Amino acid sequence: MEPSSQGLGPLGVSLFEKKLVFVTGKGGVGKSSVTAALARLSSQAGLRTLVCEVDSSGDASNSLGIEDIGFKPKNVSPNLYAMAMNTEEALAEYLRLNLKLPRITTLGPLARAFDFVANAAPGIKEILIVGKLCFEVREHNWDIIWVDASASGHIVSQLVSPKGIAELVKIGLVKEQTDWMQDILSDPVQTALILVVTPEETPVAESLELVARLRTETSISLPMCIVNKVFGEPFSFEESQIFDEIYGGDLRERFEAEVGSSAASLLQVSRLSSGLRSSRARHTTDLLMGLDSSISTVFIPYFMGSENGVRLTLEMAEALVAELSGS
Ligand SMILES: Nc1ncnc2c1ncn2[C@@H]1O[C@H](COP(=O)(O)OP(=O)(O)OP(=O)(O)O)[C@@H](O)[C@H]1O
Ligand SMILES: [Mg+2]
């Protein structure tokens, strides 16, 4: 496809040229919604797109509006497929492809043996996840894979797993396998990680910590941070001043009698949301100060009343197009 023909600016174009994009952030910040929105956009732009949900919590089904996503990619809409990672099935596929073992029909005994090994040797489950994703890239099965990745903490262990295993096993098949995975993961043209954060104290602090860890422990490219659930300012400066006069002085009772108690409560709520926005703005400033200038920031508003997954995905996709257009 020609991403530029979609009206995307350089940031959007270079993002849509990637092969593998991890979307991560603290729990609940909007990883699944953002992943689904980006995947909708890339599929609409004509890219053969895969969404891979790593911690199968079912969020992807909700955001994409389809049921029962499994290990085998399921078609969602033209050019758009979704799968849920499953380490046992990834292992069965690996054994079948690499060791030429016959198709394993029942996963039961394998799953038990696998659990035993995986719990004894750290990094096994992680490398199966990353290995499956890198395999899909190497085989050119998709134009782009968006990974609805694990929350902040786990993503680092997944990304470093090929290096960790390579240090344990220095020769032979395993070594060869980890080398090409590391090549894909550290190639900024093919692979990237997008951080999603909400303008709140803990998500901002955790995101900055995560960036520091990713910088020291991995060589993954970090082109973009998406600040999600940003509140718009409901009042102008002059309007806020009128509010302060009413609520700060002795006009309150008269005002409430005048407008009625329900209207007064509504205005109070709006004022509260305005205050919340100011505190969020402070956390956004902290975030921007903490991120190095090589990471672009993109803002997505808080969509009131968009509890329906697909509706939110569409609104988010529209906001992302606006943000990724232009420079
Ligand atoms: N911009 C937004 N405006 C309004 N609601 C939003 C927005 N982004 C996400 N949400 C809502 O916030 C909740 C969490 O979003 P989502 O499931 O995408 O987050 P997540 O990071 O994937 O969460 P988890 O860590 O549990 O997987 C959902 O109910 C979603 O509908
Ligand atoms: Mg999620």
Side-chain angles (χ1 to χ4, degrees):
M1 78 138 191
E2 280 294 321
S4 51
S5 66
Q6 302 296 311
L8 296 177
L11 183 62
V13 171
S14 101
L15 183 65
F16 279 33
E17 281 172 355
K18 307 267 180 266
K19 298 290 159 207
L20 180 61
V21 183
F22 294 87
V23 180
T24 188
K26 190 177 155 49
V29 292
K31 297 179 293 297
S32 301
S33 314
V34 165
T35 309
L38 286 166
R40 282 228 168 251
L41 291 177
S42 63
S43 64
Q44 280 163 4
L47 294 178
R48 202 173 139 76
T49 300
L50 176 70
V51 170
C52 178
E53 182 180 59
V54 167
D55 282 334
S56 295
S57 49
D59 286 355
S61 330
N62 188 32
S63 321
L64 292 169
I66 53 157
E67 303 278 306
D68 305 325
I69 300 178
F71 187 68
K72 187 169 175 289
K74 187 168 180 176
N75 188 220
V76 181
S77 53
N79 292 323
L80 179 55
Y81 290 76
M83 67 168 282
M85 183 55 74
N86 176 317
T87 42
E88 281 145 26
E89 292 199 52
L91 176 64
E93 186 181 85
Y94 175 84
L95 295 175
R96 201 167 65 240
L97 292 170
N98 288 278
L99 306 181
K100 309 279 182 274
L101 290 184
R103 178 177 288 277
I104 298 161
T105 44
T106 59
L107 277 173
L110 177 69
R112 279 194 293 279
F114 169 66
D115 257 357
F116 180 74
V117 177
N119 290 329
I124 299 277
K125 282 192 173 161
E126 287 78 4
I127 199 146
L128 283 166
I129 295 169
V130 168
K132 165 69 178 166
L133 295 167
C134 289
F135 173 79
E136 293 295 317
V137 174
R138 194 187 66 175
E139 297 300 304
H140 306 291
N141 288 341
W142 311 94
D143 292 322
I144 191 161
I145 304 173
W146 301 100
V147 187
D148 182 0
S150 305
S152 313
H154 291 131
I155 187 75
V156 179
S157 28
Q158 284 165 13
L159 293 173
V160 299
S161 62
K163 197 161 147 234
I165 301 262
E167 277 163 13
L168 279 177
V169 188
K170 292 202 165 22
I171 46 162
L173 178 71
V174 172
K175 168 83 177 124
E176 282 165 31
Q177 297 283 341
T178 52
D179 280 355
W180 67 260
M181 284 183 206
Q182 287 192 74
D183 288 347
I184 290 178
L185 292 175
S186 58
D187 176 5
V189 178
Q190 294 192 81
T191 308
L193 183 141
I194 293 180
L195 201 62
V196 183
V197 59
T198 47
E200 295 164 293
E201 192 166 354
T202 317
V204 166
E206 284 191 17
S207 297
L208 293 176
E209 273 168 35
L210 178 65
V211 170
R213 279 196 69 191
L214 288 164
R215 290 273 191 240
T216 49
E217 295 175 44
T218 78
S219 41
I220 197 153
S221 161
L222 293 166
M224 193 191 292
C225 174
I226 295 182
V227 188
N228 186 28
K229 305 193 189 181
V230 176
F231 285 167
E233 176 53 87
F235 303 115
S236 67
F237 180 67
E238 288 76 20
E239 284 166 339
S240 303
Q241 277 188 324
I242 296 172
F243 259 124
D244 289 343
E245 272 172 37
I246 294 170
Y247 287 97
D250 50 11
L251 291 172
R252 180 179 179 158
E253 271 180 29
R254 237 180 77 198
F255 171 73
E256 291 190 352
E258 204 67 40
V259 298
S261 61
S262 327
S265 315
L266 210 62
L267 287 168
Q268 280 279 38
V269 171
S270 310
R271 193 161 178 255
L272 203 68
S273 107
S274 175
L276 209 55
R277 186 200 169 273
S278 312
S279 85
R280 290 190 154 216
R282 266 201 310 282
H283 300 308
T284 308
T285 311
D286 292 344
L287 175 75
L288 297 180
M289 305 258 290
L291 290 178
D292 55 81
S293 58
S294 68
I295 304 177
S296 304
T297 31
V298 160
F299 296 87
I300 297 183
Y302 192 105
F303 296 105
M304 301 283 175
S306 280
E307 58 294 325
N308 169 320
V310 178
R311 193 170 128 195
L312 179 68
T313 305
L314 297 176
E315 283 184 301
M316 228 178 221
E318 213 172 295
L320 278 166
V321 166
E323 284 282 295
L324 296 175
S325 309
S327 60

